[in-house]
Amino acid sequence: MGSPTNDKNLQVSFLKQRLNMFIDVLDAIDPEEADLEDIDRLISILDEMESKCREFNNREIEEPV
């Protein structure tokens, strides 16, 4: 893992990559054959993105003015 970044452009880029991965996984799932593991993976990706958003927001708040 890399070091934490306070660069907003890098943060947005990271979140875009994760969102694209989520969309790819969602597109690959056949709704007729989706199982609990597929749904759990989607929820996990969303939870990770939510956590990163909170982390990035906290870094903004903690930055000296």
Side-chain angles (χ1 to χ4, degrees):
M1 275 173 88
S3 62
T5 181
N6 292 323
D7 183 327
K8 291 182 194 294
N9 290 329
L10 289 175
Q11 292 172 347
V12 169
S13 180
F14 174 85
L15 291 171
K16 282 181 180 179
Q17 288 175 334
R18 296 303 291 173
L19 185 57
N20 284 330
M21 184 183 83
F22 177 80
I23 291 169
D24 289 344
V25 171
L26 190 59
D27 284 342
I29 293 175
D30 180 355
E32 299 294 323
E33 297 184 17
D35 60 12
L36 189 55
E37 186 177 314
D38 296 326
I39 304 304
D40 283 345
R41 179 65 187 137
L42 292 171
I43 292 170
S44 174
I45 294 170
L46 290 174
D47 287 345
E48 182 182 316
M49 286 191 297
E50 181 182 15
S51 175
K52 275 298 180 185
C53 285
R54 272 196 231 109
E55 182 181 325
F56 292 156
N57 281 333
N58 287 340
R59 285 185 197 157
E60 268 184 35
I61 293 168
E62 293 171 2
E63 285 181 14
V65 179

